[in-house]
Amino acid sequence: MDREEYIDTSKTIEEKASSELEVLNIGHQFCQPGYGYGPTTRRYNVIHFVLSGEGFLDVSGSRSSVHAGDVFIIPAEQVLYYEASRTVPWHYAWISFLGTQAGNCVSGFMSCSEEHYLLRNLPVEKYGNLLLHMSRLQSGRGSSYFEAESALYKVLAMLTRDLGVQLSASRQMTTAEQIRFYMDYKYAELSSIREIADHFGIHPNHLTRLFRIEFGTTPKQYLENIKMQSARRLLRTTDLPVSWIARSMGCADPLAFSKAFRKQCGLSPTAYRKEQRTGNQAQT
C-alpha cells in the first residue's frame, strides 16, 4: 500500500484548536517520483520524518534538499511546497496536530536548527516505527483517539530529548502555584498550614504572604474552601454519614467539622443535605 492514514474525528477542528495539544492525523506514504504537495497553507502543524529516499523543501522560493534521516516541519498558516525526487522518491511518515501549546512546541523545535524548517540527521527509524503502526488505527473507534494522542506526546517527548530543547510549554510553576497544587492534591490529608510550610521548607508566615500576593486569599482560607466544596458535593450526592465525610476531610471530630461547615455555609451538614434533597425533589 502506497499510503496509510489515520484521521482523528473525535472532535471538531475548533474543539481541537482550543485544547492544549490534539492530534489530527498520522500517516505514511511511499511517494511517486516527482510527487509534490502545495504550495498551500493549513490550520494545523505537520512534522514529516523522511524514512528513505530524498526530495526538496521550498520556503518562499528558497529550496533545500531533504534526505533520509531528516525531518521537516510545516507550521500552521505557513505556505510551503515540498516534492519527492524524480529518481529516488522519499518514503515519509508524518503527524499533524494543533492546540494552544502546539505553536510553542513547533517554535522550540525550529529554534534548534539554522535551517529553521529542517532538522538534520535524526534517528527517524524509531519515529517511523511508531507512526507506521499508528497510521493503521481505525477512525471512529473509541480507543484510537487515546492511542493516537499518546503517540503525539511520545513523538514530542522524543524530539524534545533528541534535540535537547527546553520547550516553553513546560513553564516552571511559581512557589505559590506549587503550594496551591499541593493543597489541591493533598487537601484531605492536610490539617494545618504548618504542615504545608514544613513540606516546602519555608516559614508559615512567608508561605501565607506569597500565597496572598499571588491569589488574593490566604492558604488557610483556600484549604478550608476546598474541603467545604468537597464536603458539599458528598452531602449532595451520597448517603455517607456526616462523621465519615468529616473524616474524609481530615477532621476526626465531627462536631468541629459541623461547626466549620455551618460557619461557611450557614447550615449544619444535616440541614444542608436535607435542603438539597428537598430542592431536587421539588424540581422533578
Side-chain angles (χ1 to χ4, degrees), residues 109 112 122-123 126-127 130 153-167:
F109 298 146
C112 294
L122 287 175
K126 64 181 180 182
Y127 296 93
L130 173 62
Y153 279 87
K154 181 69 172 178
V155 166
L156 297 179
M158 289 193 295
L159 276 172
T160 301
R161 184 168 55 249
D162 287 343
L163 296 171
V165 63
Q166 180 65 38
L167 297 180

Side-chain angles (χ1 to χ4, degrees), residues 69-176:
D70 294 340
V71 175
F72 62 96
I73 300 173
I74 302 179
E77 311 299 342
Q78 177 66 57
V79 180
L80 302 179
Y81 176 76
Y82 49 97
E83 183 179 302
S85 165
R86 297 183 182 277
T87 55
V88 191
W90 50 25
H91 171 212
Y92 54 53
W94 73 86
I95 185 165
S96 69
F97 58 100
L98 63 167
T100 59
Q101 293 299 326
N104 289 334
C105 294
V106 168
S107 297
F109 298 146
M110 293 171 65
S111 69
C112 294
S113 171
E114 293 182 358
E115 295 180 90
H116 211 45
Y117 301 95
L118 277 169
L119 307 172
R120 300 290 191 181
N121 301 316
L122 287 175
V124 296
E125 294 82 6
K126 64 181 180 182
Y127 296 93
N129 290 336
L130 173 62
L131 297 180
L132 264 62
H133 174 70
M134 290 297 162
S135 67
R136 303 184 182 105
L137 293 173
Q138 295 183 20
S139 297
R141 177 178 291 179
S143 61
S144 293
Y145 166 77
F146 296 106
E147 291 187 67
E149 194 72 4
S150 69
L152 170 61
Y153 279 87
K154 181 69 172 178
V155 166
L156 297 179
M158 289 193 295
L159 276 172
T160 301
R161 184 168 55 249
D162 287 343
L163 296 171
V165 63
Q166 180 65 38
L167 297 180
S168 57
S170 55
R171 180 181 67 85
Q172 183 68 35
M173 287 193 291
T174 65
T175 301

Side-chain angles (χ1 to χ4, degrees), residues 8-19 22-24 43 98-99 145:
D8 180 70
T9 58
S10 63
K11 299 179 182 178
T12 66
I13 295 294
E14 288 73 21
E15 288 172 331
K16 289 179 179 293
S18 62
S19 300
E22 290 280 344
V23 68
L24 182 60
R43 297 176 62 185
L98 63 167
Y145 166 77

